[in-house]
Amino acid sequence: MTVSGALALCAVTAPTAQAASPTPTLVPCNEGALVSAINTANAAGGGTLILAPFCTYSLTSAHGGDVADGPSGLPNITSPISLTGLGTVITRAAGADPFRIIEVDGPSHEPSGQGQLTLTTITIRNGDAEDGVGGGIANFGGHVILTASTVRDNGADLGGGIYTDNALTLTASGVHDNTAATDGGGIYKNSGSVSLLASPIVHNTPNNCGANPPAVPDC
């Protein structure tokens, strides 16, 4: 067999290399590191971020949002991003200008958006969307999944804790002590689906859940 023939055979029979799974990113306990990690994950089409255990990420300014929907503390989630903590808190710093904590953008809101946010063992607190929606989390056409997490002490006009117009799933998570000026102190479902499993929505003002019909089940 000629050398060229052998090379051709190798090219045909060599096994195809498999793409490596994305390596989780460890995020140090500071605002800049978390903002940078989310921007990097969005640019890469998604990612898994491991937040510092028992850390409070205190956001001193807005790094996301837009003119129409108001500012957000973290960069908008436009890809599948998972944030996993352990007794970890993401909060608006005391004295900071008003902003919600997180905005998730899907294609119905942002044509290029493929936002999916998964939070595990994280507390979202002290967001303030003022006369906007979703003081803690605003889900605009994406998918938000909370597991063993908490949304508390946030405020907005609609959805003091969470506003959603697509898919929202809570498992063993709590939404409490949030406030809405108009409706949905805990959760406001504008459209889409809300699934609650062992997830109390309690002690929110003026009510725990608000919605366009049909109402949020089990709330």
Side-chain angles (χ1 to χ4, degrees):
M1 180 181 295
T2 65
V3 172
S4 60
L7 291 175
L9 180 62
C10 288
V12 171
T13 59
T16 302
Q18 298 296 316
S21 299
T23 301
T25 298
L26 304 180
V27 183
C29 185
N30 66 78
E31 176 181 12
L34 180 55
V35 169
S36 176
I38 291 175
N39 281 328
T40 298
N42 276 328
T48 298
L49 308 182
I50 308 299
L51 305 193
F54 308 108
C55 163
T56 295
Y57 291 87
S58 187
L59 307 178
T60 60
S61 62
H63 301 275
D66 55 43
V67 173
D69 299 307
S72 301
L74 294 177
N76 296 5
I77 305 298
T78 58
S79 64
I81 293 179
S82 172
L83 304 179
T84 299
L86 177 62
T88 303
V89 177
I90 303 175
T91 184
R92 183 175 62 90
D97 289 340
F99 53 78
R100 75 172 55 84
I101 304 299
I102 303 175
E103 176 178 327
V104 180
D105 291 340
S108 62
H109 182 73
E110 171 61 45
S112 62
Q114 298 295 327
Q116 176 174 302
L117 173 66
T118 301
L119 293 178
T120 304
T121 326
I122 291 173
T123 294
I124 301 297
R125 68 181 304 176
N126 202 36
D128 184 1
E130 296 191 294
D131 58 356
V133 301
I137 301 171
N139 178 29
F140 296 128
H143 190 181
V144 173
I145 303 166
L146 273 64
T147 302
S149 294
T150 302
V151 179
R152 61 173 299 178
D153 304 314
N154 304 281
D157 182 48
L158 295 172
I162 302 173
Y163 171 95
T164 184
D165 61 19
N166 194 29
L168 173 66
T169 303
L170 276 66
T171 302
S173 297
V175 179
H176 64 87
D177 296 292
N178 303 282
T179 301
T182 299
D183 197 10
I187 297 173
Y188 187 88
K189 185 188 79 167
N190 186 55
S191 58
S193 64
V194 175
S195 174
L196 304 176
L197 177 61
S199 296
I201 317 299
V202 296
H203 307 308
N204 300 285
T205 304
N207 51 4
N208 289 314
C209 293
N212 285 327
V216 178
D218 304 320
C219 182

